[in-house]
Amino acid sequence: MEDLEYSKLRTDLSNCDRELIHIPGTIQAFGILICLSDPGLQICNFSANIISTLGYTLEEFLSQSFFSLVRAEDHTFLNELVKAKGSKVKNPYAIALKKSDGKYLPFLAFLHRSENNLILELEPLEDNPPILMDLYRETISSISALQGVESLTELCQRATEAVQSLTGFDRVMIYQFDPNWNGHVIAEALSSVGKVDSYKGHHFPASDIPSQSRAVLLQNWLRMIPDVDCKPVPILPSAGPLSQRPLNLSRAFLRSVSPIHIRYLKNMGVVSSLTVSLKHEGRLWGLISCHHRKAYLVSHSARVVCRLIGRHISSLLGITGEVEDLHYLRKLRSIHDSLVKFMLAEEDLIQGLIKYSPNLLDLAASKGASAAIYLGKGWTLVGRTPEIPQIEALVDWLIHHHSKEDVFYTHSLSSLVPEAIAYKDVASGLLAINIPRTENSYILWFRPEIPKVVTWAGDPNKNVEILPDGTLKIEPRSSFEAWIENVQNQALDWRPVEIEAARTLRTSILGIDLQRLVKKEQEARTRAEELVLQREKDIHQLRSERILRESFVATLTHDLRTPLTAARLSAQLINMNPADKDRAQKQSEKIFLNIDRVDQMITDLLDANQIRAGQKLS
């Protein structure tokens, strides 16, 4: 069957998410409630049981002012309470109310503001309340049992045992919410008296604790239901003095119980319950849920200790999670440092990620994990991955839907990309980091499907009726027997430290890329500077050679012209007197001598050119 997202269910006005639990108009019978005006402390509303508790008739009580019901020494105290704002009200306080016979009945008083009114809740004092030292020892004993733990599982287990020992409830569970507000019982302590059903490891759908109930639980640390069979006590009159609507009792511990929740508890075989909220970073993290098969009024002193345990666990939730992840975090950091060293040693970063041990897959820490890398030069696959066209389609989807995210992860890929169902056996989970080299440069880790069995406390689908208008009507389950669901198309969840390790690796790759880019720019600049310098040397050499050549040509021209001129004059003399044979002979010899000189000069010139060209060997 498909995994239901119960937090998204729509309900009709009579059910769950739309039930107006904060304005029930009634309270539970183990205390009394008075609504007072502010200022003035005039009685505006009261629970009907105050009349029988104090022994008045309705007419007699209505004729009383609130100050006439309390001792004179309490007047100043009450006025101070009225002046106190917010957290300055230090509940509870001891107070006594005058009965019809003139005697005073002691109560524990709890005061809080609700809209423009003051709500005073009164609970009879215990017959034998523990002395301060006894309460202190009980508190220290319970809190001490939670010290020295390094895992969340152990912390929660010790907490359930401490609460069970303190209160005597038949069953104490710690119930953790998942992102969809389904609950999971992660710790449990059971009474040794009689057979009590165990729910440890069971899951409860989000519809069991709808959104408005979670909002109230987040606002209050503790909720008590002493007896599900006890008849609710109405508040008179039913509407507030100014708002003309029922009083807002969100913060009232006496607030009556939703009829749907009453049926829920009865179906579970629970007669009384106590719930302590567990909070983390301003969010409802889970609950300490206590169940009893008989009516049971937990003493105020025991509730104080339970509240302290809830606060203490809440303060440790983040720390314990950090301690639990510390060893794994150190391992991932060691893997990261090795990968950085390998990448620095390789010209190709991809080789640094896959060639050595540990390698890229060790960051995924999952059996059957695989990876795909694209850094602008084609895909490199490690392990059993989807086909390259499937990977490229997945990258296109990432670019289109998550291009602004440095890291993307999911343990249920096919729920986001339906086409991924075709390769769920190798890639039901995905962790991806983009590397800004090219648009589609990514490193992808894949985790295979891990089918798992989820045990629900009763069929979560049962008693869900689709009404004609499309809304869902949800009734409490009649059975809480284990109901098995086979969950498919999901991989092992990515842990926060793994996601952070991927983000850190991305930063390191970008750093190495930048470092290498800067180095290449420096080398190119050096080469350019060397080329400029060499060009300047070449230009200087060419200029020197040109000057030398010009000088050489000038000299050669002068030297060549001299014998040629002499030869020309000798020839002219022969022409002038061709009959003088002796003179002609001498002039002819001069001509041949000058021709030989020119020939020798030409030979010397050719030799010099060959030597310059490096061709003459001897």
Side-chain angles (χ1 to χ4, degrees):
M1 59 166 291
E2 295 182 356
D3 190 23
L4 296 178
E5 296 183 20
Y6 294 99
S7 61
K8 298 179 181 178
L9 295 179
R10 299 165 58 224
T11 59
D12 114 311
L13 282 171
S14 64
N15 294 105
C16 297
D17 279 340
R18 297 188 185 181
E19 191 177 12
L20 305 179
I21 64 171
H22 62 295
I23 50 172
T26 57
I27 65 167
Q28 297 184 78
F30 67 90
I32 60 178
L33 181 144
I34 302 174
C35 174
L36 302 172
S37 63
D38 180 19
L41 295 184
Q42 299 298 315
I43 298 175
C44 303
N45 305 81
F46 55 91
S47 58
N49 58 348
I50 193 172
I51 298 172
S52 58
T53 301
L54 300 180
Y56 294 105
T57 64
L58 179 60
E59 291 75 14
E60 289 172 337
F61 180 76
L62 291 175
S63 66
Q64 304 283 332
S65 70
F66 181 68
F67 282 104
S68 69
L69 292 174
V70 298
R71 292 189 177 102
E73 56 265 33
D74 288 334
H75 289 189
T76 302
F77 153 74
L78 288 169
N79 283 322
E80 290 299 319
L81 280 182
V82 172
K83 293 177 183 178
K85 301 294 182 182
S87 60
K88 294 182 179 180
V89 178
K90 305 298 183 183
N91 288 312
Y93 297 90
I95 195 172
L97 297 184
K98 186 173 69 176
K99 299 172 62 178
S100 61
D101 60 6
K103 296 180 181 180
Y104 284 85
L105 190 63
F107 291 92
L108 273 180
F110 301 84
L111 184 73
H112 70 270
R113 298 177 184 275
S114 177
E115 296 173 348
N116 295 318
N117 306 308
L118 294 169
I119 302 295
L120 185 65
E121 296 179 271
L122 303 165
E123 185 179 354
L125 278 173
E126 303 170 34
D127 292 335
N128 297 300
I131 61 175
L132 181 60
M133 189 54 65
D134 289 339
L135 180 60
Y136 174 78
R137 280 195 294 266
E138 190 69 54
T139 302
I140 293 299
S141 175
S142 298
I143 298 298
S144 296
L146 307 180
Q147 303 302 314
V149 297
E150 294 189 355
S151 73
L152 180 63
T153 301
E154 184 181 1
L155 173 67
C156 292
Q157 186 56 41
R158 287 193 187 184
T160 58
E161 292 167 359
V163 172
Q164 203 280 327
S165 175
L166 170 70
T167 62
F169 273 105
D170 292 331
R171 177 174 53 237
V172 177
M173 308 180 294
I174 286 190
Y175 179 103
Q176 181 184 3
F177 292 113
D178 70 12
N180 291 325
W181 295 111
N182 300 311
H184 180 209
V185 179
I186 60 175
E188 182 182 63
L190 303 177
S191 170
S192 58
V193 180
K195 180 174 174 21
V196 184
D197 292 335
S198 171
Y199 292 123
K200 188 172 183 178
H202 288 202
H203 294 252
F204 290 76
S207 57
D208 284 5
I209 305 178
S211 59
Q212 83 281 22
S213 297
R214 295 193 298 269
V216 172
L217 289 168
L218 181 61
Q219 193 174 5
N220 300 280
W221 281 99
L222 191 140
R223 173 70 163 150
M224 182 172 66
I225 304 173
D227 188 356
V228 295
D229 293 316
C230 192
K231 186 177 179 181
V233 178
I235 295 174
L236 304 175
S238 60
L242 298 177
S243 64
Q244 296 303 308
R245 62 176 183 267
L247 295 177
N248 187 334
L249 301 181
S250 296
R251 296 180 57 194
F253 71 87
L254 289 175
R255 176 174 49 86
S256 62
V257 187
S258 154
I260 293 178
H261 189 58
I262 289 291
R263 293 200 301 274
Y264 178 89
L265 292 174
K266 287 184 175 182
N267 291 346
M268 191 182 279
V270 174
V271 177
S272 62
S273 70
L274 178 72
T275 302
V276 182
S277 298
L278 300 176
K279 310 173 188 180
H280 181 54
E281 296 180 347
R283 190 174 187 269
L284 191 64
W285 181 90
L287 304 171
I288 302 176
S289 185
C290 310
H291 294 158
H292 210 60
R293 291 165 294 180
K294 296 180 181 179
Y296 182 33
L297 179 62
V298 182
S299 67
H300 175 260
S301 57
R303 299 199 309 265
V304 168
V305 180
C306 288
R307 187 184 293 110
L308 287 173
I309 291 175
R311 286 178 176 269
H312 186 67
I313 294 174
S314 296
S315 69
L316 292 177
L317 285 173
I319 298 173
T320 305
E322 291 173 3
V323 171
E324 200 169 25
D325 284 338
L326 184 59
H327 177 72
Y328 188 30
L329 179 61
R330 287 173 178 168
K331 177 183 176 182
L332 291 178
R333 284 178 178 172
S334 176
I335 294 170
H336 167 267
D337 292 344
S338 296
L339 291 176
V340 169
K341 181 179 68 175
F342 300 150
M343 286 189 291
L344 289 173
E346 293 286 339
E347 182 67 25
D348 183 357
L349 290 184
I350 295 178
Q351 291 302 308
L353 292 171
I354 67 174
K355 183 177 177 180
Y356 305 95
S357 179
N359 62 33
L360 187 69
L361 291 187
D362 291 295
L363 287 180
S366 175
K367 184 178 181 181
S370 58
I373 311 169
Y374 183 89
L375 298 181
K377 296 180 180 179
W379 284 99
T380 299
L381 307 182
V382 187
R384 187 164 168 253
T385 68
E387 299 294 330
I388 288 180
Q390 295 171 327
I391 295 175
E392 290 177 339
L394 182 58
V395 168
D396 288 341
W397 179 84
L398 286 169
I399 293 170
H400 187 263
H401 295 281
H402 300 279
S403 60
K404 296 182 179 180
E405 299 175 28
D406 295 341
V407 179
F408 172 82
Y409 61 93
T410 177
H411 72 285
S412 182
L413 182 59
S414 61
S415 66
L416 303 174
V417 184
E419 297 81 4
I421 198 74
Y423 47 86
K424 65 175 184 176
D425 57 327
V426 295
S428 283
L430 170 66
L431 174 61
I433 56 175
N434 63 34
I435 309 296
R437 284 188 171 184
T438 62
E439 184 183 31
N440 57 344
S441 290
Y442 272 86
I443 297 179
L444 310 173
W445 288 268
F446 301 108
R447 278 181 173 171
E449 177 190 34
I450 301 180
K452 61 182 179 181
V453 173
V454 176
T455 303
W456 295 90
D459 184 349
N461 304 304
K462 203 166 185 180
N463 302 323
V464 178
E465 178 186 354
I466 301 178
L467 299 178
D469 65 354
T471 60
L472 298 175
K473 181 177 181 181
I474 304 174
E475 292 292 336
R477 298 189 301 285
S478 59
S479 172
F480 288 82
E481 291 185 9
W483 187 87
I484 305 300
E485 177 190 9
N486 294 313
V487 178
Q488 298 179 332
N489 308 330
Q490 294 187 9
L492 184 70
D493 284 343
W494 299 100
R495 295 171 62 174
V497 290
E498 293 170 335
I499 297 165
E500 189 58 34
R503 182 177 282 109
T504 303
L505 179 65
R506 177 183 186 272
T507 301
S508 296
I509 292 174
L510 296 180
I512 293 172
D513 267 351
L514 180 60
Q515 179 182 344
R516 291 187 174 180
L517 180 61
V518 169
K519 183 179 179 181
K520 287 180 180 179
E521 289 179 350
Q522 290 174 340
E523 292 173 348
R525 186 180 298 111
T526 300
R527 286 196 301 271
E529 290 172 352
E530 290 174 350
L531 288 173
V532 169
L533 183 60
Q534 184 61 43
R535 185 180 178 189
E536 289 177 351
K537 289 180 179 180
D538 292 343
I539 292 173
H540 178 74
Q541 179 68 25
L542 289 172
R543 184 180 294 113
S544 299
E545 290 180 356
R546 181 173 56 81
I547 293 171
L548 182 61
R549 186 171 60 252
E550 289 174 351
S551 176
F552 176 76
V553 169
T555 301
L556 181 63
T557 301
H558 178 269
D559 290 347
L560 286 173
R561 281 177 176 171
T562 297
L564 288 174
T565 301
R568 183 181 296 108
L569 288 172
S570 296
Q572 287 174 349
L573 289 172
I574 292 172
N575 290 331
M576 288 173 64
N577 191 6
D580 190 350
K581 294 181 179 180
D582 292 335
R583 189 174 184 178
Q585 178 67 32
K586 291 179 181 179
Q587 295 300 323
S588 296
E589 291 175 355
K590 288 183 180 180
I591 290 172
F592 286 115
L593 178 62
N594 285 305
I595 290 172
D596 289 340
R597 287 176 64 189
V598 171
D599 182 65
Q600 184 61 44
M601 286 182 184
I602 292 172
T603 300
D604 291 342
L605 177 61
L606 290 173
D607 288 344
N609 185 62
Q610 288 177 340
I611 291 171
R612 184 173 179 273
Q615 295 175 359
K616 191 168 183 67
L617 301 178
S618 61

